[in-house]
Amino acid sequence: MIAAVPAPSPYVLGAVAASFVALTAVLRRPHLGPVAAGRLRWGACSARLQWRVVWLGGAVAAITLALMATGLVVGDFPVPAWRALATAIWDRGGEFDFVVNSLRFPRVVVATLAGACLATSGALFQSLVDNPLVSPDIIGINTGAAACAMAILLVGADPALLPVAAFGGAVATAAVIFLLAWRRGVSGARLVLVGIGINALLAAVISFLLVRFPIEQVSAAATWQAGTLAAASWRNVLVLAAGLAVLFPAAFVLARRLRVLQLGDDAASALGLRVEACRVAVIVVGSGLAAVVVAVVGPLGFVALLVPHVARSLAGTMTGGVLVLTALLGAVMLLSADLVAQRLFAPTVLPAGVVTAAMGGPFLLAILRRYHRAF
C-alpha cells in the first residue's frame, strides 16, 4: 500500500519561495562599507551604537513577535486571532486555554529561544576561526551532544539529565576537534575537515545506538534525532531560558574580544588579550548554547550556519549589537521553519529539522562554492 501524502499548500509554497528569493538577495549583497555610529550616554555610562544595527534589530524583533502571534493562531484547531492572543497573555482558563497555553504557546517560545541559541553559537564559532563554514552542526558539536543525549534516552536514565549529558558531549567534542586541529594555531580549513570527520564518526555511533536497542525505545529517540518542536513544553522553555540567560551575556562580552582575536595572536597578545583563555571561553559558551538546544529539541541543522551569514550581510562585522541581531534572526528562522513544517503538508506535520535542512542545504553549497573561489 502506498502512503497518501497531502498536497502542499500553495500559500505556504509561495511564502517559502519568496523567502528563498529574499534570502538569496541578502546573501549576495556586496561587503558593507563603514556603518554610521553614534553614542548613547546615561549618567556615567556610555555606549557606541550602530544605527543600522539598531533599526534592523527593531524590525527583526517586530517580525519575531508577529511570527510568535501567528504560531498561536495557526493550527488544525481553529482559534480566532484575538482570542488566541488574549488567552496567551491575560485570559487564562477560557475555552481555548489548553490549545493555546499547553500546545502552541510553549512551542513558539521554544522555537524563539532555540533559534536564538543556535544562531549565537554559530556566530561565535565562525568568528573564532574567521571561517564561514564553521558551525556546531557542521563540525560535529551538535552530533556529540546528540550522541550523549541519545544514550541517556536509550538506557532509560532520568530525562532531567539530558541537558547535562548534552552539554558534556558538546564541550568534549569541541575540545577533541580543537586539539586535533591545532598545529601552532588553528586553521579554519583544518578545523572544518577535522570536524567533518568527527561528525561522521559520531553519526556512526548514533546509528549503532539506534540499531542496538529495541524498537520501542528507539522510536522516540529517532523522532527526537530529526529535530522536532512537537513535544515542546513549559519545562523546555525554562531549560532554554536558563541556558540563554547564563550564556548569552557571556557571548556578548566575548564578542569584543573576538574582534581583537581576529587581528592575530601576536597583535591580540600585545593588546593584553589572553588568547588561549579567550578561545577556551568561546568554545565552552558556543558549545553550551548548542547543547541546550540539542537537549530540548534535538540536533536542528543549518540554523547556526546560515543565520550569521545573513546578519553579517545586513549589518557588517561582529559586534555586541550584531550578536543581538543574529540571535533575533535565529528566532525568526526557526519560527518560520516550524510554521512551514506544520502547514506545508497539513494535516501532516513535519519535524522542524527537515525544513531547516531543506532551507540550509542549498545555501551550504553556495557558501562552499564561494569559499572554493576564494582560493
Side-chain angles (χ1 to χ4, degrees):
M1 185 177 72
I2 300 175
V5 178
S9 167
Y11 301 105
V12 179
L13 279 177
V16 171
S19 300
F20 266 97
V21 171
L23 190 55
T24 303
V26 168
L27 292 175
R28 291 180 63 85
R29 284 170 59 115
H31 180 70
L32 293 171
V35 180
R39 288 192 176 275
L40 177 67
R41 293 187 178 276
W42 187 24
C45 301
S46 65
R48 186 171 180 269
L49 298 178
Q50 296 174 304
W51 297 119
R52 178 187 289 150
V53 176
V54 172
W55 290 113
L56 283 171
V60 175
I63 294 172
T64 303
L65 291 175
L67 288 171
M68 292 179 71
T70 304
L72 295 176
V73 176
V74 170
D76 293 331
F77 188 86
V79 180
W82 174 250
R83 293 297 303 276
L85 295 175
T87 302
I89 298 172
W90 69 83
D91 187 18
R92 300 297 178 94
E95 178 185 358
F96 304 108
D97 182 67
F98 175 75
V99 173
V100 173
N101 290 321
S102 296
L103 300 179
R104 296 181 185 173
F105 200 6
R107 183 168 184 149
V108 298
V109 177
V110 165
T112 302
L113 298 177
C117 286
L118 287 174
T120 305
S121 175
L124 289 177
F125 279 107
Q126 290 180 12
S127 299
L128 176 64
V129 294
D130 196 21
N131 189 303
L133 295 174
V134 176
S135 71
D137 49 333
I138 297 297
I139 64 174
I141 293 171
N142 281 8
T143 313
C148 289
M150 185 167 287
I152 292 292
L153 286 175
L154 293 176
V155 299
D158 186 355
L161 296 175
L162 268 179
V164 177
F167 182 83
V171 173
T173 303
V176 170
I177 293 169
F178 192 81
L179 290 173
L180 291 177
W182 178 269
R183 190 177 298 168
R184 283 180 275 180
V186 177
S187 162
R190 192 185 309 124
L191 187 72
V192 172
L193 292 174
V194 170
I196 289 173
I198 296 294
N199 190 32
L201 180 63
L202 291 169
V205 171
I206 291 175
S207 298
F208 170 76
L209 291 174
L210 289 175
V211 300
R212 171 67 179 79
F213 287 86
I215 187 65
E216 59 271 12
Q217 291 178 255
V218 167
S219 57
T223 302
W224 173 85
Q225 171 68 13
T228 178
L229 297 166
S233 66
W234 288 113
R235 181 178 178 178
N236 299 148
V237 171
L238 289 176
V239 172
L240 285 168
L244 198 61
V246 172
L247 296 171
F248 188 81
F252 190 86
V253 171
L254 288 170
R256 180 179 177 85
R257 290 169 171 76
L258 280 170
R259 295 193 70 183
V260 178
L261 191 61
Q262 288 175 348
L263 298 174
D265 289 2
D266 293 338
S269 297
L271 291 171
L273 184 68
R274 297 173 61 188
V275 173
E276 296 310 319
C278 180
R279 283 200 177 101
V280 171
V282 171
I283 289 172
V284 170
V285 173
S287 300
L289 287 165
V292 170
V293 178
V294 171
V296 172
V297 299
L300 289 165
F302 293 103
V303 177
L305 175 72
L306 181 58
V307 173
H309 286 276
V310 178
R312 284 194 299 270
S313 298
L314 291 172
T317 56
M318 176 60 63
T319 63
V322 175
L323 190 68
V324 174
L325 176 64
T326 303
L328 290 171
L329 286 169
V332 167
M333 179 176 176
L334 193 49
L335 281 166
S336 304
D338 190 46
L339 286 172
V340 172
Q342 292 182 64
R343 305 313 304 167
L344 183 60
F345 294 106
T348 301
V349 178
L350 301 174
V354 173
V355 179
T356 59
M359 293 170 63
F363 292 103
L364 174 60
L365 295 177
I367 293 167
L368 285 168
R369 185 166 175 262
R370 182 188 303 177
Y371 187 70
H372 175 70
R373 282 182 174 180
F375 292 90

